[in-house]
């Protein structure tokens, strides 16, 4: 498949000359992956992307009219892969593009049709496949980077299902450095991605060893201040009686504070929930135990935060807990803790502390020393929590020779705004150039981030996951020798996590050799079984079937218009939406003000899980939500999904009956029950089909409610403007007097209304005055 020149560089017509170093293991793995659906397990820094490049080049040469889809779980990783392919693939640069959520759907359709190589996050492709904006029928190869994610409901799983459905000759490659040590989970990944061959290498293999760079690993223990120990003693006093309650119901074996662990508390939660579900009328003691378990978890978390992260992180969590306890929908555990005098004493003491964790000083010394020794160094400091990353950034930012930056995800959390894709790209670029020399990163930087000059990685705390440990560590020693320093607080959970990770990683390494043969044997058996089933199905297909429709019965019928369902953007990647898409429903994703699904101009559907329904009932939000649903649609529908309506929470069954009667009788909203997401999807399908084919009712983004008064209808119309709530609609109508006056208002006049800012005024003005363009 590939040849080489002077045993130095890869030679291929679609790979730039003298660009890719020849490595025998990469060529051999690529040759296998080009022929079979292959799982590639290779340590970080040893060129999984190069192997992908070799296979892509082969595919493009063999099938020049077909597409390549390269999927990666994060936007920085997508950008990195796209840059790599652009640098080394010898194709027109206009043939390669990036898909992320920041590219508009319409633009993605155009790019999909025009480009040959698409590098994307899986969520974007999943959305486009669900919406039927794109088809995977012309894709000759899909590469799933960090393929260990391909379990459960992760987007990789659904994309591959559609790929198998759409494409006649699908070809898949999975790549990972850290498959874990669970054979069954690895087999699940292989099954979900149809991988029937595995290529595993480790750093000790003869063909790999020459390319492995030395990684010097050391750990530093720090001693917690006495103030921390005193605070932990106070918290243990609060925790002790709660553990006794859990022991009394049999959720834990021992009430000893010194032997309790997070795993034991999580197991207690599972046991209590299982007991509640099994009983028709669970005793109140079980519901009390459930709340107590939640309180114990919070206390354990506070102790862990204080011991391993620092005072500021702990203070911020206590502040959020206090804030939560004052809200209407506060959890019982939050309220109980904030009423406990012993807990309030411990919280007051922690809030009074003005010292910081000794790890901060240690991080500062490590980074300063490294940069004094080598001013061109690049250092990554990994932290488990955002609060900690902010604290470390502020501490390091005060040092003269350190130019730090935080590298976090895009989602905003509390008062901490996330980074946009462009901001992430700029930070990585500045880090490569040396404008930034210390990156303080959360988990977003663990996977695949390739900065060759990174020569030091610091773990602010150990992590128990062997997969994440390998991923973090793999950010250094990629092109040269590197160093890893792990910080641990003496006598705390840090030590337990460190040794747990070491043990799991050791097991994973020792199991890899065994896994090679076992996986190949298991995959071969699966292939054999699959072939037998296919042969059996083929024979069944040959038998005459009296119920089989004739060919002409499949011909399109008159008025066979495609059924459309509008889905709220928060529901768009749910199992319900996936199943609807599989049933050839045209899905339209919109930000709905009310409801989750719209199946016609008169029917809007609110989907609620049983837990969500009960929580809304307790918080008092349920009936206001249903009021808005009733006001928005002529025929509102409530779907209750799941089991345990009368057993999950400690709520009198008569109260639940009363609320259901009120919903049906007082609000006029029918309540339909489904067992799971598949039943919900089938119900919506039948509802939409009946409405749109039999009633011939088109789908509207907002329902029509015939019983509005004039004032209600005026507010309803104004609420359709951008960023306008019911309160803001009243203000606008009161200020201008009529809808006509609002429509004729200038941006400046709109801003005269309290609550209407410059941005909202511009959005309203643009919507009213811009020429309508058919979608």
């Amino acid at each position: 498949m590939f040849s080489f020149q002077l045993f130095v560089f890869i030679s291929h017509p679609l790979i730039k000359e003298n660009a890719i170093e020849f490595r025998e293991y990469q060529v051999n793995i690529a040759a296998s992956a080009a022929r079979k659906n292959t799982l590639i397990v290779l340590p970080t820094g040893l060129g999984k992307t190069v192997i992908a490049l070799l296979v892509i080049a082969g595919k493009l040469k063999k099938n020049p009219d077909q597409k390549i889809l390269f999927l990666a779980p994060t936007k920085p990783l997508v950008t990195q892969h796209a840059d790599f392919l652009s640098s080394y693939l010898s194709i027109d640069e206009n043939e390669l593009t990036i898909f992320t959520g920041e590219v508009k759907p319409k633009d993605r359709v155009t790019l999909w049709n025009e480009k040959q190589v698409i590098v994307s996050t899986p969520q974007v492709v999943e959305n486009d496949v669900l919406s039927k904006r794109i088809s995977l029928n012309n894709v000759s190869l899909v590469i799933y980077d960090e393929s260990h994610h391909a379990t459960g409901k992760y987007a990789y799983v659904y994309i591959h299902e559609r790929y198998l459905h759409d494409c006649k000759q699908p070809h898949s490659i999975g790549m990972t450095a850290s498959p874990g040590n669970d054979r069954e989970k690895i087999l699940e990944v292989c099954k979900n991605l149809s991988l029937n061959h595995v290529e595993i290498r480790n750093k000790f293999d003869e063909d790999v060893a020459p390319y492995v760079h030395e990684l010097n690993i050391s750990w530093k223990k720090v001693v917690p201040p006495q103030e921390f120990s005193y605070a932990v003693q106070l918290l243990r006093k609060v925790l002790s009686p709660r553990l006794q309650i859990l022991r009394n119901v049999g959720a834990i074996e021992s009430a000893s504070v010194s032997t309790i662990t997070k795993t034991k508390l999580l197991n207690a939660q599972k046991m209590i929930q299982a007991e509640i579900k099994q009983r028709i009328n669970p005793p109140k003691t079980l519901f009390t135990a459930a709340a107590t378990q939640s309180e114990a978890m919070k206390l354990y978390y506070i102790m862990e935060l204080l011991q391993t992260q620092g005072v500021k992180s702990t203070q911020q969590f206590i502040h959020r807990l206090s804030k939560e306890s004052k809200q209407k929908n506060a959890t019982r555990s939050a309220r109980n803790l904030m009423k406990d005098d012993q807990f309030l004493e411990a919280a007051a003491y922690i809030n009074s502390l003005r010292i910081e964790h000794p790890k901060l000083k240690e991080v500062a010394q490590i980074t300063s020393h490294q940069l004094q020794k080598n001013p061109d160094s690049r250092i990554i400091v990994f932290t488990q929590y955002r609060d900690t990353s902010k604290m470390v950034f502020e501490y390091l930012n005060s040092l003269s020779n350190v130019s730090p930056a935080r590298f976090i995800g895009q989602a905003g959390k509390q008062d901490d705004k996330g980074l946009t894709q462009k901001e992430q790209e700029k930070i990585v670029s500045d880090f490569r150039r040396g404008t930034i020399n210390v990156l303080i990163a959360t988990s977003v930087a663990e996977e695949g981030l390739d900065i060759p000059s990174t020569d030091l990685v610091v773990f602010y705390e150990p992590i128990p996951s062997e997969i994440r440990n390998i991923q973090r560590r793999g950010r250094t020693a990629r092109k040269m020798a590197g160093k890893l320093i792990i910080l641990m607080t003496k006598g705390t959970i840090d030590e337990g996590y460190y040794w747990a990770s070491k043990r799991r990683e050791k097991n994973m390494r020792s199991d890899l050799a065994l896994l090679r043969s076992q996986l190949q044997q298991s995959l071969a058996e699966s292939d054999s079984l699959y072939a037998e089933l296919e042969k059996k199905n083929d024979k069944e297909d040959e038998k005459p079937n009296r119920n089989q429709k004739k060919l002409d019965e499949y011909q399109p019928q008159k008025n066979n218009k495609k059924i459309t369902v509008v889905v709220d953007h928060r529901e768009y990647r749910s199992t319900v939406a996936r199943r609807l898409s599989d049933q050839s429903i045209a899905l339209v994703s919109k930000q709905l003000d009310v409801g989750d699904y719209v199946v016609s101009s008169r029917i809007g559907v609110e989907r609620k899980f049983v837990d969500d329904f009960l929580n809304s009932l307790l918080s008092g939000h349920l009936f206001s939500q249903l009021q808005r649903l009733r006001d928005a649609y002529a025929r509102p529908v409530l779907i209750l999904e799941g089991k345990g309506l009368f057993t999950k929470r400690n709520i009198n069954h008569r109260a639940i009956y009363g609320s259901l009667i009120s919903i049906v009788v007082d609000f006029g909203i029918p309540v339909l029950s489904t067992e799971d997401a598949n039943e919900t999807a089938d119900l919506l399908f039948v509802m939409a089909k009946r409405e749109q084919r039999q009633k011939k009712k088109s789908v509207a983004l907002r329902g029509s409610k015939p019983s509005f008064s004039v004032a209600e209808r005026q507010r309803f119309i104004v609420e359709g403007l951008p960023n306008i709530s019911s309160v803001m609609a009243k203000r606008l109508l009161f200020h201008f007097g009529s809808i006509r006056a609002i429509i004729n208002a200038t941006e400046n006049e709109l801003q005269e209304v309290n609550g209407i800012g410059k941005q909202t005024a511009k959005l309203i003005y643009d919507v009213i005055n811009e020429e309508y363009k058919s979608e």
Side-chain angles (χ1 to χ4, degrees):
M1 178 181 174
F2 301 101
S3 61
F4 54 90
Q5 297 174 344
L6 301 176
F7 303 95
V8 176
F9 294 109
I10 294 287
S11 177
H12 189 280
L14 293 181
I15 295 177
K16 291 180 180 176
E17 194 174 353
N18 297 334
I20 299 295
E21 177 189 8
F22 178 89
R23 293 186 182 182
E24 188 175 3
Y25 71 90
Q26 290 177 335
V27 173
N28 291 340
I29 293 173
S32 293
R35 296 191 306 270
K36 305 172 185 177
N37 292 344
T38 303
L39 173 65
I40 299 169
V41 181
L42 197 63
T44 54
L46 289 176
K48 291 184 293 295
T49 316
V50 170
I51 295 170
L53 171 74
L54 300 181
V55 181
I56 289 170
K59 280 286 181 182
L60 292 176
K61 185 182 178 184
K62 184 178 178 181
N63 305 302
D65 297 327
Q66 294 188 309
K67 299 182 187 299
I68 306 291
L69 179 58
F70 198 144
L71 298 171
T74 65
K75 291 180 181 180
L77 204 47
V78 165
T79 304
Q80 181 175 290
H81 287 327
D83 289 344
F84 178 85
L85 294 178
S86 295
S87 300
Y88 296 107
L89 263 182
S90 188
I91 62 172
D92 189 328
E93 61 180 16
N94 292 323
E95 288 295 328
L96 187 146
T97 191
I98 285 178
F99 274 18
T100 67
E102 295 184 6
V103 182
K104 293 179 180 178
K106 285 184 179 180
D107 294 338
R108 293 202 299 267
V109 172
T110 303
L111 291 169
W112 181 268
N113 292 329
E114 293 177 351
K115 307 298 182 182
Q116 192 171 16
V117 180
I118 297 96
V119 188
S120 177
T121 52
Q123 292 79 14
V124 170
V125 172
E126 181 185 27
N127 286 346
D128 288 345
V129 169
L130 278 168
S131 301
K132 296 184 170 53
R133 285 190 285 263
I134 65 171
S135 171
L136 303 176
N137 64 339
N138 194 35
V139 177
S140 64
L141 173 67
V142 179
I143 298 171
Y144 301 90
D145 193 23
E146 308 297 352
S147 56
H148 53 271
H149 289 294
T151 59
K153 295 182 180 180
Y154 191 72
Y156 279 175
V157 179
Y158 179 72
I159 290 170
H160 189 70
E161 286 177 8
R162 297 306 305 172
Y163 185 40
L164 293 180
H165 180 272
D166 293 349
C167 186
K168 290 183 179 178
Q169 292 183 312
H171 185 183
S172 306
I173 294 175
M175 305 193 305
T176 181
S178 43
N181 65 343
D182 186 338
R183 175 174 170 266
E184 293 305 316
K185 186 174 180 181
I186 299 172
L187 285 173
E188 181 188 355
V189 170
C190 292
K191 179 184 175 184
N192 289 340
L193 301 182
S194 303
L195 305 175
N196 53 21
H197 180 70
V198 61
E199 289 282 349
I200 299 177
R201 300 287 192 280
N202 61 48
K203 63 182 181 180
F204 305 107
D205 287 328
E206 288 184 9
D207 54 349
V208 173
Y211 304 100
V212 176
H213 299 281
E214 183 184 355
L215 176 62
N216 180 18
I217 303 176
S218 61
W219 46 269
K220 290 194 174 184
K221 285 189 178 182
V222 298
V223 179
Q226 288 186 349
E227 291 87 343
F228 286 15
S229 300
Y230 179 68
V232 169
Q233 285 179 10
L234 293 176
L235 290 167
R236 285 186 170 190
K237 287 181 182 178
V238 187
L239 179 60
S240 183
R242 288 163 171 82
L243 295 182
Q244 190 61 52
I245 292 172
L246 294 178
R247 185 176 180 276
N248 291 342
V249 297
I252 56 176
E253 293 181 0
S254 170
S256 170
V257 177
S258 58
T259 60
I260 196 65
T261 64
K262 186 187 290 185
T263 302
K264 289 178 181 178
L265 288 174
L266 290 172
N267 289 337
Q269 181 187 41
K270 291 177 184 176
M271 190 279 283
I272 293 166
Q273 291 298 332
E275 280 289 314
I276 291 173
K277 287 178 182 179
Q278 286 173 5
R279 302 195 186 190
I280 298 174
N281 292 308
K284 287 185 178 180
T285 52
L286 280 178
F287 293 103
T288 300
T292 303
Q293 185 276 339
S294 181
E295 293 165 33
M297 279 296 295
K298 287 181 172 66
L299 290 166
Y300 189 89
Y301 180 70
I302 291 171
M303 289 192 290
E304 184 179 316
L305 268 183
L306 182 63
Q307 292 177 311
T308 67
Q309 305 298 311
V311 171
K312 282 186 180 178
S313 297
T314 311
Q315 289 172 343
Q316 287 166 350
F317 179 78
I318 292 172
H319 173 72
R320 288 195 288 266
L321 188 65
S322 174
K323 191 175 178 181
E324 179 197 336
S325 70
K326 296 171 185 174
Q327 295 174 354
K328 283 186 178 181
N329 60 342
T331 59
R332 183 177 169 186
S333 59
R335 286 178 175 166
N336 286 349
L337 282 176
M338 297 313 294
K339 290 177 183 176
D340 188 306
D341 289 338
Q342 284 188 319
F343 176 74
L344 291 175
E345 180 189 352
Y349 179 75
I350 292 170
N351 287 330
S352 71
L353 295 177
R354 293 296 177 265
I355 57 173
E356 262 313 333
H357 204 290
K359 284 183 181 179
L360 275 176
K361 188 176 180 181
E362 198 66 48
V363 169
Q365 290 176 347
I366 291 168
T367 52
S368 290
H369 176 72
Q370 179 68 24
L371 290 168
Q372 286 171 4
K373 189 171 68 173
N374 180 8
D376 295 326
S377 280
R378 303 289 187 278
I379 303 167
I380 300 179
V381 179
F382 278 108
T383 67
Q384 177 79 346
Y385 304 104
R386 275 198 183 184
D387 287 345
T388 306
S389 73
K390 191 174 182 180
M391 183 175 63
V392 172
F393 169 78
E394 290 170 354
Y395 199 87
L396 294 183
N397 202 34
S398 62
L399 303 179
S400 58
N401 61 340
V402 178
S403 299
R406 290 173 77 213
F407 192 76
I408 58 176
Q410 297 187 23
K413 295 182 180 179
Q414 272 84 38
D415 299 327
D416 192 3
K417 187 181 176 183
L419 297 174
T420 65
Q421 182 187 350
K422 288 183 179 178
E423 287 172 334
Q424 287 178 335
E425 289 173 4
K426 185 178 186 306
I427 289 171
V428 172
S429 176
D430 289 346
F431 189 55
R432 282 197 175 101
R433 289 200 309 267
T435 310
I436 295 167
N437 53 21
V438 178
L439 213 58
I440 301 123
T442 54
S443 58
V444 71
E446 288 176 356
E447 290 185 329
L449 194 64
D450 184 13
I451 296 144
S453 54
T454 304
D455 44 13
L456 172 62
V457 168
V458 179
F459 289 8
Y460 190 84
E461 68 285 286
I463 46 175
S465 165
E466 77 280 11
I467 291 177
R468 292 183 61 199
N469 193 41
I470 291 169
Q471 294 285 5
R472 280 186 174 191
R473 197 174 61 210
R475 297 318 103 211
T476 188
R478 298 175 75 88
K479 302 286 183 178
M480 57 186 177
K483 186 191 297 184
L484 168 66
I485 299 176
I486 304 169
L487 300 181
M488 286 188 284
T489 312
K490 193 174 181 181
T492 70
I493 192 64
D494 270 355
E495 292 182 326
Y497 283 165
Y498 174 74
W499 292 113
S501 176
K502 289 281 287 183
R503 184 180 66 254
R504 289 171 183 168
E505 188 181 340
K506 183 180 179 182
N507 291 342
M508 188 176 79
R509 283 203 308 267
S510 63
D511 287 347
L512 275 178
L514 182 61
L515 277 171
R516 291 190 212 200
S517 57
Q518 286 183 338
L519 283 172
Q520 208 56 60
Q521 183 179 353
S522 298
L523 291 171
E525 289 171 359
S526 298
D527 270 3
S528 176
L529 179 61
Y530 180 76
E532 286 181 22
L533 289 172
E534 285 287 291
K535 195 177 289 184
K536 183 179 178 181
N537 289 338
D538 288 343
K539 288 181 181 179
E540 290 292 325
D541 290 342
E542 292 170 8
K543 294 179 182 179
N545 185 351
R546 292 180 181 179
N547 296 322
Q548 176 65 43
K549 292 183 179 180
K550 296 179 181 178
L551 183 62
D552 59 0
E553 293 183 68
Y554 286 105
Q555 298 303 315
Q557 304 297 314
K558 290 182 180 179
N559 300 322
N560 192 21
K561 186 179 178 182
K562 200 162 194 177
I563 300 170
T564 301
V565 173
V566 176
V567 185
D568 183 66
H569 68 105
R570 290 163 296 188
E571 283 274 315
Y572 200 60
R573 284 172 37 229
S574 66
T575 304
V576 172
R578 289 178 176 182
R579 186 168 175 85
L580 285 172
S581 179
D582 291 344
Q583 297 181 69
S584 299
I585 295 285
L587 299 183
V588 178
S589 176
K590 296 288 182 182
Q591 185 172 344
L592 297 176
D593 293 329
V594 184
D596 297 313
Y597 297 88
V598 181
V599 300
S600 75
S601 58
R602 65 178 188 160
I603 295 183
V605 179
E606 177 78 19
R607 174 198 182 204
K608 276 194 177 294
F609 294 107
V610 165
D611 283 331
D612 185 26
F613 175 81
L614 296 174
N615 288 336
S616 299
L617 184 62
L618 289 172
S619 67
H621 293 156
L622 176 64
F623 294 110
S624 60
Q625 292 171 357
L626 295 176
Q627 175 76 49
R628 297 205 320 272
L629 186 70
R630 187 188 68 175
D631 290 345
Y633 299 100
R635 295 288 185 269
V637 174
L638 174 64
I639 294 179
L640 267 183
E641 184 180 305
K643 299 178 181 179
L645 180 61
F646 297 97
T647 59
K648 280 201 168 187
R649 301 292 293 269
N650 188 19
I651 304 174
N652 189 293
H653 66 281
R654 290 181 180 177
I656 296 174
Y657 282 135
S659 65
L660 292 172
I661 291 167
S662 177
I663 293 167
V664 175
V665 177
D666 299 334
F667 287 83
I669 300 176
V671 181
L672 303 176
S673 177
T674 62
E675 190 168 299
D676 54 29
N678 289 335
E679 279 193 9
T680 300
D682 290 344
L683 179 60
L684 289 169
F685 172 79
V686 174
M687 197 184 301
K689 182 179 178 181
R690 180 182 182 278
E691 282 289 291
Q692 294 175 40
R693 287 193 174 169
Q694 295 179 21
K695 303 295 182 183
K696 297 181 181 179
K697 296 184 182 295
S698 60
V699 178
L701 297 186
R702 301 190 303 148
S704 57
K705 181 86 169 54
S707 59
F708 278 161
S709 67
V710 173
E712 285 176 329
R713 194 168 292 283
Q714 286 173 325
R715 292 199 299 271
F716 182 70
I717 291 170
V718 176
E719 283 175 31
L721 296 172
N723 299 341
I724 298 302
S725 63
S726 58
V727 174
M728 199 60 67
K730 288 180 182 178
R731 288 184 192 172
L732 282 165
L733 285 164
F734 182 80
H735 180 85
F736 289 103
S738 69
I739 293 175
R740 180 190 294 274
I742 295 172
I743 290 172
N744 291 332
T746 64
E747 289 184 41
N748 290 334
E749 288 171 340
L750 288 168
Q751 289 179 57
E752 292 174 5
V753 178
N754 183 28
I756 303 289
K758 188 175 180 180
Q759 187 176 359
T760 299
K762 186 177 187 308
L763 285 171
I764 294 171
Y765 186 84
D766 289 346
V767 165
I768 291 172
N769 292 283
E770 195 165 309
E771 184 180 345
Y772 174 73
K773 296 175 183 176
S774 178
E775 294 183 358

